[in-house]
């Protein structure tokens, strides 16, 4: 399976702390994306990092990509209760429109 | 723009009944994806379309499942006959097409087969 795997499966932190989630995948990719899913809602795209990029920032989000290790990390700084959600990585292969989603990390931010 | 619109949001029906899920993608998007999400199996891609043409239906679990996209603004996923193991949340997503473009998801249809 080309599906990615997130680690940890669940993470619980205090508001204001940083949250780090990791994603590992198996094949060469075109890009890697991170999505958030709030309870009862669809997935929302957060950030995309291309295979030739190593780091990308968007507001409180920082994403890194190590293609040699086939891994990525998502860092959320200064977490807020509203960040409570499941976070998924998704990989895109060259020449394909579809994405391969990971198993997700459930983040709980305690006020 | 209105985003991806799915209907119904919830569906409860008895096994053996036909179920039709509907999706309106974002205007201008030419790729459409149907997913199923369960606790046990996570998010599974069922089928996707480019320019209304089915490209990959290898994720469709059985012949009981079928999907159509008669035009650029509408798609259906049909299950006939439905079984309790089909209970899941079904998502539709659309993108502008091209390699690995970000996908925009609807809020899903929560399907319960009794």
């Amino acid at each position: 399976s080309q599906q990615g795997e997130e680690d940890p499966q669940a993470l619980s932190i205090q508001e204001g702390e940083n949250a780090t989630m990791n994603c590992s995948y198996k094949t060469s990719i075109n890009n890697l994306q991170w999505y958030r899913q709030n309870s009862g809602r669809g997935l929302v795209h957060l950030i995309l990092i291309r295979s030739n990029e190593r780091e990308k920032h968007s507001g409180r989000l920082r994403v890194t990509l190590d293609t040699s290790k086939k891994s990525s990390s998502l860092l959320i700084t200064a977490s807020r209760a509203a960040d409570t959600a499941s976070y998924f990585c998704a990989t895109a292969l060259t020449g394909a429109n579809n994405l391969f989603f990971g198993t997700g990390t459930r983040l709980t931010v305690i006020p | 723009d209105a985003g991806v619109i799915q209907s119904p949001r919830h569906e409860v029906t008895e096994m053996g009944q036909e179920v039709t899920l509907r999706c309106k993608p974002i205007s201008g998007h030419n790729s459409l994806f149907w997913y199923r999400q369960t606790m046990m199996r996570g998010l599974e891609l069922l089928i996707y379309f480019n320019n209304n043409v089915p490209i990959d239906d290898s994720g469709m679990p059985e012949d009981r499942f079928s999907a159509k996209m008669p035009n650029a603004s509408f798609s259906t996923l049909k299950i006939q006959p439905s079984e309790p193991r089909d209970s899941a949340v079904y998502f539709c997503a659309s993108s502008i097409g091209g390699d690995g473009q970000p996908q925009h998801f609807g809020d899903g249809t929560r399907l319960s087969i009794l």
Side-chain angles (χ1 to χ4, degrees):
Chain A
S1 169
Q2 293 156 326
Q3 186 180 44
E5 287 191 11
E6 282 90 342
D7 169 61
Q9 288 188 321
L11 179 62
S12 185
I13 60 174
Q14 295 289 330
E15 200 166 32
E17 293 180 338
N18 296 341
T20 299
M21 287 158 272
N22 303 297
C23 169
S24 59
Y25 57 92
K26 298 179 181 177
T27 62
S28 296
I29 60 173
N30 177 300
N31 67 63
L32 185 144
Q33 303 174 28
W34 285 91
Y35 288 77
R36 182 187 73 231
Q37 184 180 30
N38 291 90
S39 180
R41 305 296 299 273
L43 280 72
V44 175
H45 177 259
L46 295 176
I47 193 167
L48 181 153
I49 186 165
R50 302 188 192 286
S51 59
N52 61 353
E53 297 176 309
R54 291 297 168 258
E55 187 171 314
K56 204 161 185 179
H57 297 253
S58 176
R60 295 185 295 113
L61 304 181
R62 173 178 168 249
V63 170
T64 61
L65 179 64
D66 187 335
T67 53
S68 67
K69 295 181 179 178
K70 291 186 170 57
S71 67
S72 175
S73 67
L74 171 67
L75 169 68
I76 303 174
T77 61
S79 64
R80 305 167 181 168
D83 296 328
T84 293
S86 292
Y87 292 82
F88 295 85
C89 68
T91 52
L93 308 184
T94 301
N97 282 15
N98 56 313
L99 301 176
F100 296 92
F101 282 87
T103 51
T105 292
R106 174 70 187 168
L107 173 66
T108 301
V109 181
I110 303 167
Chain B
D1 206 341
V4 176
I5 300 172
Q6 292 187 246
S7 63
R9 286 298 313 277
H10 303 274
E11 174 91 10
V12 180
T13 192
E14 294 186 347
M15 67 176 294
Q17 298 296 308
E18 178 180 290
V19 174
T20 299
L21 311 181
R22 298 172 175 79
C23 175
K24 177 179 170 54
I26 292 173
S27 177
H29 283 192
N30 54 14
S31 293
L32 183 140
F33 307 83
W34 282 101
Y35 293 90
R36 178 172 68 177
Q37 187 177 41
T38 62
M39 289 293 292
M40 290 295 294
R41 301 174 69 93
L43 194 66
E44 302 173 276
L45 176 66
L46 300 177
I47 185 171
Y48 79 92
F49 296 82
N50 278 355
N51 298 314
N52 312 339
V53 176
I55 301 301
D56 183 356
D57 65 354
S58 60
M60 297 285 263
E62 298 171 34
D63 290 345
R64 298 183 296 107
F65 286 69
S66 63
K68 294 182 180 179
M69 192 164 185
N71 57 62
S73 59
F74 184 65
S75 178
T76 59
L77 178 68
K78 189 171 293 187
I79 309 173
Q80 167 63 18
S82 58
E83 297 183 2
R85 59 193 167 122
D86 302 330
S87 297
V89 181
Y90 290 80
F91 288 102
C92 175
S94 69
S95 73
I96 62 172
D99 290 4
Q101 291 295 317
Q103 295 181 10
H104 300 255
F105 282 73
D107 279 334
T109 294
R110 182 172 294 276
L111 178 64
S112 296
I113 308 297
L114 305 177

